Amino acid sequence: MADFDAIYEEELENETAAEESFMTMVPDPIVVRGAGNMTVFGLSNRFDSEFPNGLLSRVAPEEYSATIGRINSVLKKTLPVNAKWLFCGCVCCCCTLGCSLWPVVCLSKRTQHSLNKLLEWENSHLYHKLGLHWRLTKQRCDSSSMMEYVLLIEFIPKIPIYRPD
């Protein structure tokens, strides 16, 4: 009964060893930046189609190119219209007290929603099976304090199955 309140280090070492066995190392996400010549509200008119080295042995270059091609086709359809509305909104801004920019904001949100839906479909049909997750996210530009939309390719950690000995 004298050892009733004693804490044994042996038990604590076993618990920390079990926790460390569940930790998995996940590589940093891959960032695909916009490579177009026009940007409307931080969204470039196309993304870089160069295959990143971090995806070697995970995704075929053809699959990556097809996904980027589908993303760029959505941007090709929507951003020229957004740019025209932005120009018209800026011309009429003084007369409408800024309300003429509202259609551009709505169209920009619609473009982002279309891209997010496309990426959801791509993730569920291909990339989640490969342990990857694509998403559209805002990041600070390297050269300034401006924000831009980038494609973030994250690695999904594989969860090990714990089997007690």
Side-chain angles (χ1 to χ4, degrees):
M1 281 304 241
D3 293 340
F4 181 72
D5 292 333
I7 298 174
Y8 296 102
E9 289 184 30
E10 187 175 305
E11 291 176 9
L12 295 176
E13 288 176 6
N14 290 341
E15 288 177 10
T16 56
E19 288 176 8
E20 288 176 2
S21 67
F22 285 119
M23 293 179 63
T24 57
M25 299 302 291
V26 178
D28 290 334
I30 296 170
V31 177
V32 180
R33 297 201 179 279
N37 55 1
M38 180 177 64
T39 302
V40 178
F41 289 124
L43 192 57
S44 181
N45 66 334
R46 68 180 201 78
F47 283 98
D48 192 13
S49 59
E50 183 181 334
F51 188 75
N53 290 334
L55 291 179
L56 286 174
S57 75
R58 290 198 180 254
V59 177
E62 297 82 22
E63 292 169 340
Y64 175 82
S65 296
T67 300
I68 293 292
R70 283 189 279 277
I71 291 169
N72 286 340
S73 70
V74 168
L75 292 172
K76 186 177 181 181
K77 290 178 199 171
T78 57
L79 278 180
V81 175
N82 293 7
K84 290 175 188 172
W85 275 100
L86 180 63
F87 178 73
C88 292
C90 288
V91 168
C92 301
C93 187
C94 294
C95 300
T96 63
L97 301 174
C99 292
S100 59
L101 294 174
W102 189 248
V104 184
V105 173
C106 292
L107 287 172
S108 180
K109 294 284 184 194
R110 186 170 148 193
T111 302
Q112 293 168 28
H113 183 70
S114 298
L115 288 174
N116 285 328
K117 290 300 244 181
L118 173 67
L119 291 174
E120 269 181 42
W121 187 88
E122 292 282 338
N123 284 329
S124 66
H125 283 81
L126 175 64
Y127 291 105
H128 282 174
K129 296 171 189 169
L130 300 174
L132 299 171
H133 180 79
W134 288 54
R135 66 185 175 106
L136 184 69
T137 185
K138 271 187 181 179
Q139 274 191 352
R140 202 167 286 288
C141 292
D142 293 336
S143 58
S144 68
S145 63
M146 304 274 293
M147 298 293 279
E148 69 175 334
Y149 282 95
V150 296
L151 292 173
L152 204 62
I153 306 171
E154 300 170 321
F155 296 94
I156 301 172
K158 294 182 181 176
I159 301 172
I161 299 172
Y162 177 70
R163 294 186 183 145
D165 294 330

